Amino acid sequence: MTEILAVAVITVLAVVAPGADFAMIVRNSYLHGRRTGLFAAAGVAAGVLVHVTYTMLGVGLLIASSTFLFTVVKLTGAAYLVYVGVRTFRTRGEVEVDLEDGTGLTPLAALRSGFLTNVLNPKTTLFVVSTFAQVVGPGTPAVQQVGYGLFMSLAHLLWFGTVAVFFSQDRMRTLMLRAQKVLNKVIGSVLAGLGVSLAFAPSH
């Protein structure tokens, strides 16, 4: 029971803490609408499952203990965040986004944006690896570990799904689109800033 509570508390705190996933979901939701935000949230949840899978297979521990491998993951994730951040920052503020005209992100593109933001984020790598390494004991059954992984993924889906619904509401979205130019620069700067900070963060 103590192990279950520990996993639950760590997961909830990690999910709610603002980061690259949050900024990505907010951007997709206010710019392209609720459906796009929800698909991006599903992509984030799928990304978590990737982290859980390689952690259970032992690869996560290798990345955490190898400076070279972790650096590769860190720099790849950092480069992607900087790329998305710069693109968001440079988006023209006067461009109107009509949710009915179909010019927004496709469901697959939205899913991919959420997936890549999460799966390339070394902070998620460390979150999943450290949780399994420090909380899950060597005697924990594989089925129970799978349950922990599914819980982590579900927690991300529920939280970011809620964020997507909130930021895609008509009133909230209208206010955001009025301030689109400023918001694009703020969210773009946050994403790029996260990427730069990750690139220069110590590997251990």
Side-chain angles (χ1 to χ4, degrees):
M1 182 61 66
T2 301
E3 185 178 293
I4 294 176
L5 289 176
V7 171
V9 171
I10 293 174
T11 299
V12 171
L13 291 177
V15 172
V16 175
D21 292 335
F22 184 85
M24 178 67 71
I25 297 300
V26 169
R27 172 184 178 273
N28 283 339
S29 299
Y30 93 78
L31 193 59
H32 300 295
R34 179 172 301 175
R35 187 178 72 159
T36 299
L38 291 175
F39 270 103
V44 169
V48 173
L49 291 179
V50 172
H51 293 292
V52 170
T53 299
Y54 67 64
T55 297
M56 288 187 63
L57 295 176
V59 177
L61 294 177
L62 178 61
I63 293 177
S65 62
S66 170
T67 301
F68 173 74
L69 289 178
F70 181 73
T71 299
V72 171
V73 174
K74 181 179 68 174
L75 293 180
T76 301
Y80 178 73
L81 289 177
V82 171
Y83 167 73
V84 175
V86 170
R87 284 193 60 184
T88 302
F89 187 90
R90 297 179 62 184
T91 299
R92 294 173 62 87
E94 63 272 18
V95 175
E96 292 287 336
V97 179
D98 184 353
L99 298 183
E100 302 299 327
D101 65 5
T103 60
L105 291 178
T106 64
L108 180 60
L111 190 71
R112 183 173 61 245
S113 70
F115 178 79
L116 291 177
T117 298
N118 182 271
V119 82
L120 295 177
N121 189 347
K123 286 189 174 181
T124 307
T125 297
L126 292 180
F127 154 61
V128 176
V129 171
S130 62
T131 299
F132 272 79
Q134 298 177 30
V135 179
V136 178
T140 304
V143 174
Q144 191 170 336
Q145 293 187 44
V146 170
Y148 291 154
L150 291 176
F151 171 76
M152 291 177 181
S153 178
L154 180 61
H156 280 76
L157 178 61
L158 292 177
W159 169 249
F160 290 116
T162 300
V163 171
V165 170
F166 176 75
F167 280 97
S168 61
Q169 289 179 356
D170 290 340
R171 185 174 180 181
M172 177 62 70
R173 183 175 173 276
T174 298
L175 292 174
M176 286 187 160
L177 286 177
R178 287 177 181 172
Q180 184 178 334
K181 186 174 182 179
V182 174
L183 283 169
N184 283 339
K185 292 187 180 302
V186 171
I187 294 178
S189 297
V190 170
L191 287 172
L194 285 170
V196 173
S197 65
L198 289 173
F200 290 96
S203 296
H204 292 282

